[in-house]
Amino acid sequence: MSAANGCPKAMLRAGETQLGFSVKRIEQIPEIRVTAYELEHIVTGAKVLHLHCDDRENLYAIAFRTPPKDSTGLPHILEHAVLAGSKNYPVKDAFNELLRGTLQTFINAFTYPDKTIYPVASQVKVDFYNLARVYTDLVFRPRLLRETFLQEGHHLEWAANADGQENLTISGIVYNEMKGAYSSPDNLMYKAIQENLFPDTIYRFDSGGNPADIPKLTYEQFKEFHLAYYSPSNARIFIYGDIPTGEHLLFLQEMLKDFGGISLDS
Ligand SMILES: [Zn+2]
């Protein structure tokens, strides 16, 4: 049901409570034919923004504020590690299972200097909720095995040098990825500018990880960071597409039902 301005008719009212969420604000944005709903989960404080529009491409993204405290690349290693199986989906490479085994039109994960985002999209409703369900479980209840930390972060392994001599060397998926990034002059220049422009803020750190610092990260720090920052209280959920807001609230109500609120300064 679209009004004359092309925006779907608002189906909730600002100020009301629905399925454990309070409706903070509803606004129509005719320029993009969207009715936007700003909501908050009452128990956990999880924030939700739904852009409702007449587009069958539905997108779900769950994001967390993940300010780094150093350049060990913790947020980046965690981004890789949560995709390696969760409590309800204990598979070694959940990301690739979803990539190949669903009708996803987009699936990815991004680490930014201050946040980490996990988006999925699909044109098929059942597939969309399946993707969103698995992704939500991965971020809230990842297995975070020690092996995963070693594999994605850093570990020692024997490697032969040019003369065929075996030496212990540092390896790891993120470690190697960042060694690549740190060998690009453009990249180094950008990092140096950022470091010097924002010397007193978290932006002086590299959330992706500086190869010189990555090996300092411990498994315990890694687990603690997840516990603090990957909580619904620190989550921002962004949804786009033609599925009505009420259906998303039903889904999210179920996803968030086992969690309480925590106070966190992120
Ligand atoms: Zn990466």
Side-chain angles (χ1 to χ4, degrees), residues 57-222:
E57 181 96 40
N58 281 278
L59 175 123
Y60 173 87
I62 183 157
F64 302 96
R65 298 169 106 178
T66 50
K69 292 183 185 75
D70 52 38
S71 292
T72 58
L74 208 176
H76 184 193
I77 298 169
L78 191 56
E79 177 224 305
H80 279 238
V82 300
L83 299 174
S86 62
K87 183 168 169 263
N88 295 318
Y89 306 97
V91 290
K92 206 172 157 198
D93 190 350
F95 180 77
N96 272 299
E97 300 283 344
L98 292 174
L99 188 71
R100 290 192 305 257
T102 67
L103 300 171
Q104 54 81 20
T105 47
F106 187 73
I107 178 165
N108 217 322
F110 302 104
T111 306
Y112 292 83
D114 53 9
K115 59 185 170 288
T116 312
I117 305 183
Y118 297 85
V120 287
S122 178
Q123 298 200 352
V124 179
K125 198 202 259 189
V126 173
D127 191 56
F128 168 81
Y129 279 119
N130 177 51
L131 286 158
R133 182 181 307 273
V134 178
Y135 247 40
T136 307
D137 201 62
L138 287 170
V139 296
F140 286 148
R141 300 185 181 86
R143 296 187 294 173
L144 299 184
L145 306 173
R146 188 178 285 273
E147 299 92 276
T148 306
F149 170 72
L150 297 175
Q151 178 189 302
E152 301 293 336
H154 63 89
H155 61 269
L156 289 169
E157 65 183 35
W158 291 104
N161 64 12
D163 311 322
Q165 242 186 2
E166 295 270 321
N167 285 307
L168 269 180
T169 51
I170 301 168
S171 188
I173 293 173
V174 167
Y175 178 78
N176 295 338
E177 221 175 85
M178 295 314 293
K179 252 176 44 174
Y182 274 70
S183 59
S184 141
D186 291 17
N187 217 335
L188 284 177
M189 188 178 68
Y190 171 76
K191 284 181 200 307
I193 292 171
Q194 175 131 337
E195 239 177 80
N196 287 285
L197 274 180
F198 303 104
D200 310 317
T201 72
I202 59 154
Y203 299 103
R204 71 185 183 277
F205 300 127
D206 186 351
S207 64
N210 182 335
D213 295 318
I214 291 173
K216 295 176 194 155
L217 182 67
T218 67
Y219 180 58
E220 287 67 33
Q221 291 168 328
F222 168 75

